[in-house]
Amino acid sequence: MADAKDFLEPLDELVADGTADPERLAVAGYSYGGFMTCYLTSRDQRFAAAVAGGPVSDLTSMVGTSDMGHYLATYEFGGPPWQRASQYEAMSPLSQVDQVRTPTLILQGVADLRCPVGQAQQWYSALLERAVPTRLVLYPDASHSFVLDGRPSHRLDFNHRVADWVQQYAGRRPARIDAGHWQRRLDELAERHRVPGATLGILRLGPGGEDELVEAAYGVVNEHASTGVPVTTDTVFQIGSIGKVWTATAVLQLVDEGKLDLDAPIVEVLPEVRLADPEAARRVTMRHLLTHTIPAVSTATCSPTPAGVMTAWRRTSPSSTKPHRTTRSAPPGRTATPGSSSLAG
């Protein structure tokens, strides 16, 4: 197949001039790239790792099941399989799957009509039967273009799996994390930006449970206190605004995957939640938390005041006897009325 040279000849040059390590070559592709990944690993043994996304493994069944089957048969191959059996066989990766030695990850959308799921299943089954290291990952309801416009959770998972597979089979074990470097870096950044105290943690997950953890600490817990308590790697800081971004992203990924309902009471997924008012605990939802609002509850009352200013009284804790007062302006032309407004959480 002429296309194979377009990939292999440049590789030969990269290996010859020392740019590429011949022991750590990997091949990966999607759609046509998935087809070529299967084809190359069935005709060449040089690759240490392979990732085939939305692949084509058998051209005969592809023509009969793909939404572009007729086009492929007519314009790419010059006729159907029963008229050109030898051509289809020569170009099909499956015809020489017995030659594959490369550990192969296969990524496939279940709702793919262009390169149907059976193509991935045939390749996976053949490799599995031959004890070639392989894994098949199917993405529910995902079309052929899910890697571009599919669910964010699917696209994120896809890219992580590609990187992890190539690293596992073709990667070189990186040097151990330099703890001294990261301590100096934390000190430098904290002083530059006048951060009184900070901690840093780096966790590198390794194959076979060989994880690596490096921690660093800087400064004092509270610059305004006279205690001078130093920060340690066990110090707990209140998460600020950037933590909200992370939390919101994780929450919406769960919503996208159908594992969380924004309007369901929080106690349905976190039954251990306890609030001062049991009624509030039964009514608060994730949407309330994300938008910094809570439903009107008995621990908060509102009263109208002059000039359209809403005064809210609320207890600062279940055991507190002294109310805490906050005020904010009502929108122009509106007067705040008792029990009709949400309070910022």
Side-chain angles (χ1 to χ4, degrees), residues 109 138-143 146-147 150-161 253 256-257:
L138 300 177
Y139 294 90
D141 303 318
S143 70
F146 85 93
V147 293
R151 294 180 183 178
S153 58
H154 286 177
R155 287 181 280 159
L156 184 64
D157 181 82
F158 179 95
N159 285 288
H160 280 319
R161 288 183 184 275
Q253 284 183 338
D256 182 57
E257 295 170 3

Side-chain angles (χ1 to χ4, degrees), residues 39-125:
Y39 182 88
L40 290 173
T41 55
S42 66
R43 270 71 175 177
D44 198 290
Q45 308 302 320
R46 73 180 70 193
F47 298 103
V51 181
V56 174
S57 59
D58 177 42
L59 291 173
T60 298
S61 58
M62 173 72 173
V63 165
T65 57
S66 169
D67 62 355
M68 285 190 64
H70 177 74
Y71 173 88
L72 289 172
T74 303
Y75 298 101
E76 292 290 335
F77 307 123
W82 53 90
Q83 293 179 355
R84 296 178 174 270
S86 60
Q87 180 182 355
Y88 278 76
E89 181 180 2
M91 296 180 64
S92 289
L94 199 63
S95 65
Q96 294 190 38
V97 70
D98 60 311
Q99 301 300 312
V100 178
R101 304 287 185 273
T102 306
T104 304
L105 172 66
I106 306 163
L107 306 169
Q108 176 72 40
V110 173
D112 190 339
L113 300 180
R114 184 60 43 84
C115 298
V117 65
Q119 296 294 312
Q121 291 169 330
Q122 288 182 86
W123 195 246
Y124 171 72
S125 297

Side-chain angles (χ1 to χ4, degrees), residues 230-300:
V231 173
T232 71
T233 55
D234 293 324
T235 300
V236 177
F237 293 95
Q238 181 177 0
I239 297 178
S241 297
I242 195 169
K244 298 171 187 175
V245 176
W246 292 339
T247 301
T249 300
V251 165
L252 292 180
Q253 284 183 338
L254 292 173
V255 172
D256 182 57
E257 295 170 3
K259 298 178 180 178
L260 180 67
D261 181 353
L262 284 178
D263 297 308
I266 284 294
V267 293
E268 291 186 5
V269 290
L270 293 173
E272 65 273 19
V273 168
R274 297 291 184 270
L275 300 180
D277 189 319
E279 179 61 22
R282 288 191 291 269
R283 297 175 60 185
V284 171
T285 68
M286 181 56 72
R287 190 183 299 276
H288 290 133
L289 299 181
L290 289 180
T291 58
H292 288 251
T293 61
I294 60 172
V297 294
S298 61
T299 53

Side-chain angles (χ1 to χ4, degrees), residues 12 15 44 73 75 85 102 107 150 180 188 212 282 328 340 343:
D12 290 336
V15 169
D44 198 290
Y75 298 101
T102 306
L107 306 169
E188 174 189 338
E212 187 177 359
R282 288 191 291 269
R328 64 177 181 180
S340 65
L343 300 178

